[in-house]
Amino acid sequence: MTGIRRTVRMVLMVGAAVLAIAAAAVAIRVGLDIYYHRAYPLGYQSLIDEACANKQLDRALVYAVVRTESSFDPSAQSSVGARGLMQLMPDAYDWVRMRRGESHEGVDYNDLFDPAVCVDYGTDMLRLLLEEFGSVRNALCAYHAGWGSVKQWLENPQYAPDGQQIQEIPFADTQAYVEKVERTMEIYRSLYPEEFN
């Protein structure tokens, strides 16, 4: 009888341990899920989704750029003067305005702190760069390092052996930026499969 009691007690203890481990695993998974959804939000969703629909942009790309550039802070300003959700520089803003055929009268770079303005011009910039350079990787290089840099890199076989796609990014900070945005795109697709697939 004592042996049976020990066996039953042992089975109950093992079962309790298995249940405790399973509960801990579920709690960790739920905690991680909450953390990642807070760290990678769908901020300004109506603005971003509408701009992406109108400009035929990959939503994961735009969310990844906004998260990487400003962490969804519309008042973000870099040390070099980039502003707003998509961290546009005044010259990039001017370039997009010129490509849109807008005059420079009444231009106020503080408008870039308005999420609607910044998303509108930032997504236009991404669309123009994608059309110009043909790939997300090339467009991200241009978004970070500038249009002229990417033109030069595409002409250099050391960086773009086929002249079409940048394989080797010569600026370490641009390389890190492109990798971060690409990784963030994948995280968004993984976290929100119903939104991005």
Side-chain angles (χ1 to χ4, degrees):
M1 205 59 156
T2 322
I4 293 174
R5 283 186 195 158
R6 269 195 214 129
T7 303
V8 168
R9 202 172 335 154
M10 183 64 82
V11 167
L12 289 174
M13 285 174 33
V14 168
V18 167
L19 286 175
I21 291 169
V26 168
I28 289 169
R29 193 175 5 206
V30 168
L32 284 173
D33 191 52
I34 290 169
Y35 165 78
Y36 274 103
H37 279 86
R38 285 184 181 160
Y40 296 85
L42 294 175
Y44 299 94
Q45 189 169 9
S46 61
L47 279 177
I48 292 172
D49 289 357
E50 183 179 345
C52 290
N54 291 340
K55 299 167 190 180
Q56 299 177 333
L57 288 170
D58 179 350
R59 292 168 57 236
L61 169 64
V62 176
Y63 280 103
V65 167
V66 172
R67 193 215 182 254
T68 301
E69 291 286 355
S70 70
S71 294
F72 294 90
D73 177 3
S75 62
Q77 182 164 342
S78 75
S79 59
V80 295
R83 296 177 180 173
L85 288 174
M86 298 188 75
Q87 289 292 281
L88 292 179
M89 293 289 290
D91 60 340
Y93 181 56
D94 286 344
W95 181 74
V96 173
R97 288 177 66 86
M98 182 267 302
R99 294 290 296 263
R100 286 166 61 153
E102 298 175 355
S103 75
H104 292 290
E105 291 180 27
V107 171
D108 184 1
Y109 299 116
N110 288 325
D111 290 344
L112 291 172
F113 291 123
D114 177 337
V117 171
C118 201
V119 167
D120 184 31
Y121 283 86
T123 54
D124 263 0
M125 185 168 164
L126 280 173
R127 170 50 47 213
L128 290 165
L129 294 172
L130 284 164
E131 289 170 2
E132 176 82 22
F133 296 115
S135 75
V136 169
R137 182 178 178 84
N138 290 348
L140 288 172
C141 286
Y143 196 90
H144 188 266
W147 182 90
S149 295
V150 171
K151 279 291 202 188
Q152 290 175 357
W153 298 346
L154 287 170
E155 293 170 1
N156 188 330
Q158 178 182 353
Y159 307 130
D162 64 358
Q164 302 296 314
Q165 180 65 40
I166 297 168
Q167 299 296 326
E168 185 70 33
I169 300 172
F171 297 171
D173 57 338
T174 300
Q175 174 73 34
Y177 173 81
V178 170
E179 288 174 0
K180 184 173 183 180
V181 173
E182 289 173 339
R183 191 168 50 251
T184 302
M185 288 173 68
E186 292 310 310
I187 291 170
Y188 269 103
R189 288 190 180 109
S190 173
L191 279 177
Y192 304 99
E194 69 285 353
E195 294 282 337
F196 295 109
N197 293 325

